[in-house]
Amino acid sequence: MPISQAKLSPVRREASKLVSFARDLAIDAGRVLKQGFHRRLTIQYKGRIDPVTDIDFKSERLITGSIAKHFPRHAILTEEGTNSKGTSGVRWIIDPLDGTVNFAHGFPIYCVSIGFEIDGQLAGGAIFDPERDELFWGYLGGGAYLNKTRISVSKETRLERALLATGFAYDIGTARRNNLGLFARVAKKVQGVRRPGSAAIDLCWLAAGRLDAFWELKLHPWDTAAAKIVVEEAGGRTSRVEGAAHSIFAADLLATNRLLHRKMVALLSGRR
Ligand code: IPD
Ligand code: CA
Ligand code: CA
């Protein structure tokens, strides 16, 4: 829901304050991830191929503990089980470790993602990649940044020169809607499609101009909350894959450098 002009300034001010807290927290949680990387992990399975490690839980405890201490009235929604109601209008949406399959294999693409809403409006977020010491962050009306540098999406307009990323949900082995058909269709039209294994990093790399577009069919709010605002503040555009308006509670997402958006919607809708 759009914020009225009268409310915009206080929300922006609040967002700028909260994003600074989110940045520090993402760095602290990222350090926990980095310390656990390449160590012996305790791994449980939430499904056939969907792992969760002791480090996912350790990162989540650090983040939720800190939010509860500093902002006891804020609501929190996380991947690993926290869903608390608040009384303040602020809700934190957190993936304590995005890229758990990579992490469990020692494949160094993973991050922590901390986003927040103010009165139901996505208002800011921070994503920290401890392998590259890259902190992506942004907030409503405040721009998008990689560490201290402002970032913006690429200017590519041609599909055949575009580098894309996508991902596959954990039900790939059994679900009919598994993204493999779309992957094949898109791969034939663009310069390349990558599958890095962390949706939040994919989106941040789009925001930084390293990728030109990203799509995925079955994401969760914690995968996209922080990075969606970073993409939008970097000048990118987000929608559902067939072009409808996107919210982080929708499963499918198309994010582009804006210039490729219509072409990507047509491609993903089978009209190209
Ligand atoms: C997964 C990653 C992956 C994406 C999956 C997500 P997790 O999150 O973001 O890139 O393709 O859809 O579930 O399980 O590593 O937090
Ligand atoms: Ca995730
Ligand atoms: Ca996760």
Side-chain angles (χ1 to χ4, degrees), residues 44 47 93 96 111 138 146 153 226 244:
Q44 294 165 256
I93 303 169
C111 65
L146 164 49
V153 292

Coordinates of all heavy atoms in Angstrom, one line a residue, residues 44 47 93 96 111 138 146 153 226 244:
Q44 N 20.3 -31.0 9.9 CA 19.0 -31.7 9.9 C 18.3 -31.5 8.6 O 18.6 -30.5 7.9 CB 18.1 -31.1 11.0 CG 18.5 -31.4 12.4 CD 17.8 -30.4 13.4 OE1 18.3 -29.4 13.8 NE2 16.5 -30.8 13.6
G47 N 13.1 -31.4 4.6 CA 12.5 -32.2 3.5 C 13.5 -33.1 2.9 O 14.6 -33.2 3.5
I93 N 12.0 -9.1 8.9 CA 11.8 -10.3 8.2 C 13.2 -10.8 7.8 O 14.0 -10.1 7.1 CB 10.9 -10.1 6.9 CG1 9.6 -9.5 7.4 CG2 10.7 -11.3 6.1 CD1 8.7 -8.9 6.3
P96 N 18.4 -16.1 8.4 CA 19.6 -16.1 9.1 C 20.8 -16.6 8.3 O 21.9 -16.4 8.6 CB 19.3 -16.9 10.3 CG 18.2 -17.8 9.9 CD 17.4 -17.0 9.0
C111 N 24.8 -15.8 2.6 CA 24.7 -14.5 3.3 C 23.7 -14.5 4.4 O 23.0 -15.5 4.6 CB 24.3 -13.4 2.3 SG 22.6 -13.6 1.6
G138 N 19.9 -0.8 1.9 CA 19.1 0.3 1.3 C 17.9 0.6 2.1 O 17.5 -0.2 3.0
L146 N 26.6 -0.6 -1.6 CA 27.4 -1.7 -1.3 C 28.6 -1.2 -0.5 O 29.3 -0.3 -0.9 CB 28.0 -2.3 -2.7 CG 29.2 -3.2 -2.5 CD1 29.0 -4.3 -1.5 CD2 29.5 -3.9 -3.9
V153 N 21.6 -0.4 -10.9 CA 21.5 -1.5 -11.8 C 22.2 -1.2 -13.2 O 22.5 -0.1 -13.4 CB 20.0 -1.8 -12.1 CG1 19.3 -2.4 -10.8 CG2 19.2 -0.6 -12.6
A226 N 14.8 -8.1 2.3 CA 15.8 -7.1 2.4 C 16.3 -6.7 1.0 O 16.5 -5.5 0.6 CB 17.0 -7.6 3.2
A244 N 2.5 -9.1 -13.0 CA 1.6 -8.5 -11.9 C 2.4 -7.9 -10.8 O 3.6 -8.3 -10.6 CB 0.6 -9.6 -11.4

